[in-house]
Amino acid sequence: MLGSNLSDIAERRVAALLNAGIDIASRSMNWPRPAKRLAVMALDAMLCAIAVWIAFSLRIGDLQAPNKALLTFTGAMLCLWYPIALLRGVYSAIFRFSGRGAIIGLTLAVSLLTVPMAVLFMAIPQDGVPRTMAILGPIVFFLLVALSRIVGRYVLVDLFNARSAGDMRKHVVIYGAGATGQMLASALGVESGMRVIGFIDDDRAKWGRLLDGRRVYRSAQVADLARRRGVTDIVLAMSEISFSRRKQIIAALEPLSVNVQTLPPMRDLMAGRISADALRPIEVEDLLGRPVVPQHGDLLARQVRGKLVMVTGAGGSIGSEICRQILAQRPAGLVMVEANEFALFQIERELDAALVKAGEAARPALYARLADVSNPAAVARLFAEFSPQTIFHAAAYKHVPLVEDNVVEAVRNNVMGARLMARGALGCGSERFVLISTDKAVRPPNVMGASKRMCEIILQDLARRSGRSLQAKTVFSMVRFGNVLGSSGSVVPIFRRQIEAGGPITVTHREVTRYFMTIFEAAQLVIQAGAMARGGEVFLLDMGEPVKIWDLARSMVRLAGLSVRDADNPAGDIEIVEHGLRPGEKLYEELLLGEHSEATEHPRIMQGNETCPAPRAVASVLAELDEAIARGDENACKAALKSLVPTLRFEPKSAPDAPDAPAPTPIRPDLVTATRAEAKLVARPAATPPAGQG
């Protein structure tokens, strides 16, 4: 009984001493950096004296009292150590960051210390100092300093973080037990509230082994490990892995309902910026995207390099990425046309900064022009100032419900904008004109898709007519593809914001499917497709397999470490709500109007075989659209579109009954004055009637 009490008392005293040590150490973390460095240098001086005493005692075979020889050796060792340590950066990273790199740096510094010590005490014998002390002293010193770094890291990081984190600690598993995973484990080890409990790896040779004291598990054990150890986060740390294998791993982790994250790009790893803050969530691109196909031949540069290129809608998701890709091909100049001032400012600033960073002597000229491409005067000014050789027309209104509610403006911007730009290109002798189209232009039930199909018809008609002319040399083509991941209005960022807000996620219909591709891939394929055109082609981008939006929402919830709330799991975190198709929305999207497509020289670009209405019909519809837009007549706009795009759903709207309005009060001319010199309206109060009148 007495022994048990003594044991409890001893444990409590040890715990109290440990907590006191942690308190002192934690206060030292708030010291200024120079003070911390001086404290560590003082500690090393003490360790040096102890190391010399231990080395002397081991060499002589008896405990040594302080003497002149011992002090001489200690002084010489410190005088040589500090310059070497400062030059080698030993004191740049202390205790909290004392990982493998710090120990390697310490080893090199002590090795450099051994060389002059050997010269001083082996080549030139000193009284009372054994020659082997020149080797034995630095070895013992290295062991003590390395031990101090390890103990200091354990106290300042592991114990301090464990006490401060409490129950909020995250239990992290790192997928990848290579050098990258080890670097990540070291970085996460200094983060408060994070505990790395192990590694997962596909390499059989690593299974069951320990890496920095943490076990490496098989990939088949990840579900059991997550359940047994309470894993909250899994971080992918695989710098060299195929895209298909990466997708397989993410798909396997999805059902675990843990927060799956990944490392930043390799350029950040090379810069040494690995930390908890640098980790990013798994993006849908990681799950739905595809490996980027290298550029095919010279298609990217064929119609861009050394040419003046114009991009409309340059501030949009696709337009801005096309601008980036074009700039990488070194054009003679790039004209960015955009109606949104802020969007134009952003892309111009970004591209200008990229050119400055590249530091090339012959920089492409950048031109930023605010212009509405559906305004004839604005388009005329553009082509009067520039004669672009290649034009990518990406300017359009694309959000289906908004376009459905703003028919006249959408038709004016999409259809008339495309017509004005195409005619301008033809008039100034541009070599190529590429229209950015959409899969919504195939058998469209909505105004947005019908307007884009009308744009395609306009270009097909111009290509047909210019092909008969010996003077016309502009090659017109269209590139049609589906949804782009991460673009403005895309479902992915909307779902992400809804998840961050705690739900619910809103889906229009459980069976809605869409094609997806990344912005980078779409822009590259658009440029390459335009380079293959001969006149009037509709190019189709390989979009892969369609994705069910309902399944996409569930995947995003699970990869965020949450669960879906439904009838089978009423205690889940995020609910997915189905609220019905929006006006003009389709369940399924298509890429082809006809039945067949032809292969091209690029493996991911196909060519559709599609017919164009008769020239007279096209001209008649365009005239009707002009009149309808001028009158602001929504019904007439839809009726004109439907004559060439028969799948458009059109039910004429009756004008709402307007309430009886009071007659407007006439304006008194004497209350308003204006001068040509001043563009102002100045109101004067009515004259005050004389007293006694009125």
Side-chain angles (χ1 to χ4, degrees):
M1 187 69 178
L2 178 61
S4 177
N5 289 337
L6 290 175
S7 177
D8 291 342
I9 293 171
E11 288 182 4
R12 286 197 296 270
R13 287 182 177 178
V14 170
L17 287 173
L18 186 60
N19 285 329
I22 295 174
D23 288 335
I24 295 171
S26 64
R27 285 195 293 270
S28 71
M29 293 174 68
N30 297 322
W31 292 356
R33 186 64 182 271
K36 294 178 184 178
R37 185 172 298 181
L38 287 175
V40 176
M41 293 174 71
L43 174 64
D44 287 352
M46 182 178 68
L47 293 176
C48 180
I50 295 173
V52 172
W53 174 72
I54 293 174
F56 260 87
S57 300
L58 291 173
R59 175 63 181 82
I60 302 300
D62 191 15
L63 292 177
Q64 296 294 300
N67 55 54
K68 182 180 178 181
L70 192 148
L71 294 175
T72 299
F73 192 88
T74 302
M77 194 166 169
L78 286 175
C79 289
L80 291 170
W81 168 249
Y82 284 124
I84 292 173
L86 291 172
L87 287 173
R88 293 296 306 171
V90 170
Y91 298 109
S92 297
I94 51 181
F95 292 169
R96 280 191 297 161
F97 304 99
S98 298
R100 183 178 62 177
I103 299 300
I104 292 174
L106 182 64
T107 304
L108 293 174
V110 174
S111 300
L112 292 174
L113 170 67
T114 306
V115 175
M117 291 296 292
V119 172
L120 285 176
F121 293 97
M122 294 182 74
I124 307 173
Q126 304 292 330
D127 291 340
V129 180
R131 293 184 179 182
T132 53
M133 278 295 298
I135 304 298
L136 188 58
I139 290 175
V140 177
F141 176 61
F142 166 76
L143 294 175
L144 292 181
V145 173
L147 181 62
S148 73
R149 300 302 193 262
I150 294 170
V151 172
R153 175 191 169 93
Y154 177 72
V155 172
L156 289 177
V157 176
D158 297 336
L159 294 182
F160 178 67
N161 286 349
R163 190 175 67 170
S164 62
D167 295 334
M168 298 302 292
R169 170 180 288 199
K170 292 183 177 181
H171 294 84
V172 181
V173 169
I174 296 176
Y175 206 119
T180 304
Q182 190 173 7
M183 290 169 57
L184 177 62
S186 178
L188 295 183
V190 304
E191 299 287 345
S192 177
M194 282 198 172
R195 181 188 176 197
V196 179
I197 63 174
F199 295 87
I200 297 289
D201 204 276
D202 297 332
D203 187 354
R204 293 175 176 270
K206 297 177 181 178
W207 293 350
R209 297 182 180 274
L210 295 179
L211 182 63
D212 289 343
R214 303 175 181 96
R215 188 168 300 279
V216 180
Y217 298 89
R218 304 191 309 271
S219 55
Q221 294 176 288
V222 64
D224 179 66
L225 181 65
R227 182 182 62 258
R228 183 165 43 86
R229 301 292 298 274
V231 175
T232 60
D233 295 76
I234 296 179
V235 182
L236 305 185
M238 301 164 289
S239 55
E240 296 181 4
I241 187 173
S242 68
F243 194 90
S244 59
R245 178 56 186 154
R246 184 182 183 85
K247 288 178 66 174
Q248 289 174 1
I249 292 172
I250 295 172
L253 296 177
E254 180 190 328
L256 302 181
S257 291
V258 297
N259 188 24
V260 184
Q261 300 184 39
T262 188
L263 281 173
M266 183 55 67
R267 59 179 177 273
D268 290 342
L269 301 184
M270 297 298 291
R273 292 193 290 269
I274 300 182
S275 67
D277 293 335
L279 298 179
R280 66 170 178 84
I282 288 292
E283 302 287 355
V284 180
E285 289 88 335
D286 299 316
L287 193 60
L288 301 182
R290 301 175 294 178
V292 177
V293 174
Q295 68 179 71
H296 196 75
D298 66 339
L299 287 179
L300 267 178
R302 187 181 296 175
Q303 296 301 322
V304 170
R305 184 165 297 167
K307 297 181 182 292
L308 179 62
V309 184
M310 178 181 288
V311 179
T312 67
S317 305
I318 294 295
S320 60
E321 184 59 34
I322 289 175
C323 289
R324 296 183 191 100
Q325 299 291 336
I326 289 172
L327 205 62
Q329 300 302 320
R330 298 193 300 277
L334 175 60
V335 184
M336 298 170 288
V337 181
E338 173 61 58
N340 185 306
E341 179 194 21
F342 182 64
L344 183 62
F345 167 77
Q346 283 187 308
I347 187 61
E348 182 195 25
R349 186 178 181 184
E350 176 190 334
L351 296 185
D352 189 61
L355 289 176
V356 171
K357 185 176 181 180
E360 296 182 8
R363 291 176 46 183
L366 288 182
Y367 306 95
R369 294 295 180 267
L370 280 170
D372 177 359
V373 295
S374 64
N375 183 331
V379 173
R381 285 193 297 270
L382 280 175
F383 285 101
E385 183 179 5
F386 303 103
S387 294
Q389 294 160 286
T390 303
I391 300 173
F392 293 93
H393 182 62
Y397 293 149
K398 62 179 184 178
H399 301 297
V400 172
L402 276 177
V403 169
E404 209 67 26
D405 292 335
N406 299 272
V407 173
V408 174
E409 280 302 307
V411 172
R412 180 188 61 79
N413 184 74
N414 292 5
V415 178
M416 298 310 163
R419 181 178 64 167
L420 285 171
M421 288 299 302
R423 287 180 174 177
L426 195 62
C428 79
S430 297
E431 296 174 9
R432 290 185 181 265
F433 186 100
V434 183
L435 170 72
I436 313 302
S437 191
T438 170
D439 56 356
K440 293 177 177 61
V442 179
R443 285 178 275 275
N446 52 63
V447 176
M448 185 271 177
S451 68
K452 293 300 288 184
R453 176 57 190 148
M454 190 66 207
C455 294
E456 293 179 354
I457 290 172
I458 290 171
L459 262 67
Q460 289 174 316
D461 182 61
L462 282 174
R464 175 175 53 198
R465 286 191 286 155
S466 61
R468 299 170 184 166
S469 171
L470 297 177
Q471 297 177 346
K473 62 176 183 177
T474 304
V475 174
F476 294 98
S477 62
M478 297 130 274
V479 184
R480 189 186 290 160
F481 54 92
N483 295 273
V484 176
L485 290 168
S487 64
S488 62
S490 169
V491 70
V492 172
I494 293 174
F495 284 176
R496 188 177 295 120
R497 287 193 295 270
Q498 290 175 336
I499 292 172
E500 291 171 354
I505 293 179
T506 54
V507 176
T508 58
H509 195 283
R510 188 180 294 264
E511 298 300 322
V512 165
T513 62
R514 294 291 182 265
Y515 291 98
F516 286 98
M517 72 184 341
T518 64
I519 294 177
F520 181 86
E521 184 181 11
Q524 281 211 331
L525 293 179
V526 163
I527 296 172
Q528 294 179 80
M532 293 189 294
R534 297 294 179 266
E537 297 95 335
V538 176
F539 291 106
L540 318 170
L541 304 188
D542 174 14
M543 299 295 298
E545 295 298 321
V547 176
K548 188 176 288 189
I549 301 300
W550 185 270
D551 294 340
L552 174 62
R554 295 179 68 90
S555 296
M556 291 186 66
V557 171
R558 289 170 174 168
L559 289 173
L562 304 171
S563 59
V564 177
R565 187 192 312 153
D566 53 21
D568 297 329
N569 184 23
D573 302 302
I574 303 291
E575 183 182 10
I576 303 177
V577 178
E578 185 180 10
H579 60 73
L581 291 174
R582 298 171 296 183
E585 191 173 24
K586 296 168 65 176
L587 278 179
Y588 310 100
E589 299 292 359
E590 306 166 272
L591 288 172
L592 273 175
L593 273 174
E595 296 182 358
H596 304 288
S597 62
E598 298 176 359
T600 67
E601 60 181 287
H602 195 290
R604 285 196 180 169
I605 302 175
M606 301 166 290
Q607 180 180 332
N609 294 314
E610 299 179 4
T611 58
C612 176
R616 183 173 296 179
V618 176
S620 174
V621 168
L622 288 175
E624 292 174 16
L625 287 174
D626 281 333
E627 294 179 5
I629 292 171
R631 297 195 311 268
D633 191 335
E634 178 179 319
N635 288 332
C637 280
K638 286 187 174 181
L641 287 175
K642 189 173 178 62
S643 63
L644 290 184
V645 189
T647 55
L648 174 63
R649 296 172 188 161
F650 172 42
E651 295 180 4
K653 293 183 180 179
S654 57
D657 295 331
D660 294 335
T665 304
I667 298 176
R668 290 174 52 186
D670 62 313
L671 297 183
V672 180
T673 60
T675 65
R676 293 183 179 178
E678 297 178 324
K680 296 181 179 179
L681 293 179
V682 182
R684 296 186 309 193
T688 304
Q693 299 182 14

